[in-house]
Amino acid sequence: MRASDEDRQRVIGVLQRHTEAGRLTLDEFSDRVGTVYAAKTLDDLRAAIVDLPALAPAPAAPPAPEPAGDRHLLLIFAIAIAVVAVFAVVYTSIK
């Protein structure tokens, strides 16, 4: 079966993780990336990683923190609405 660009990027990601773990030198990584970009089939891609152990799944990224500015803006908006409501009640009761 023919290899897609997505398949190539996935294999390069695996090679990067093995390089980060110290299993590959930068020269080996470079050579294998060249092999990956030249690969035509999925079997050609497998040849670039066949001698490497299986990796544990990548840890899930922690959820992005909610921006504090949004919370502050919402609080200011709520206070402004409350002030307008109080002024409206006072203004109508004075009339």
Side-chain angles (χ1 to χ4, degrees), residues 69-85:
D70 290 349
R71 230 183 267 157
H72 291 226
L73 185 61
L74 184 59
L75 179 61
I76 290 170
F77 184 70
I79 291 171
I81 294 291
V83 168
V84 169

Side-chain angles (χ1 to χ4, degrees), residues 16-91:
Q16 286 174 332
R17 289 182 54 201
H18 280 291
T19 303
E20 291 167 0
R23 291 186 191 97
L24 295 174
T25 66
L26 291 178
D27 288 336
E28 291 171 321
F29 173 77
S30 178
D31 291 342
R32 290 177 190 232
V33 167
T35 300
V36 167
Y37 281 124
K40 301 280 186 206
T41 66
L42 293 178
D43 286 335
D44 295 340
L45 289 178
R46 277 189 214 101
I49 58 173
V50 71
D51 62 331
L52 298 171
L55 290 170
E66 185 177 312
D70 290 349
R71 230 183 267 157
H72 291 226
L73 185 61
L74 184 59
L75 179 61
I76 290 170
F77 184 70
I79 291 171
I81 294 291
V83 168
V84 169
V86 168
F87 280 138
V89 169
V90 171
Y91 180 76

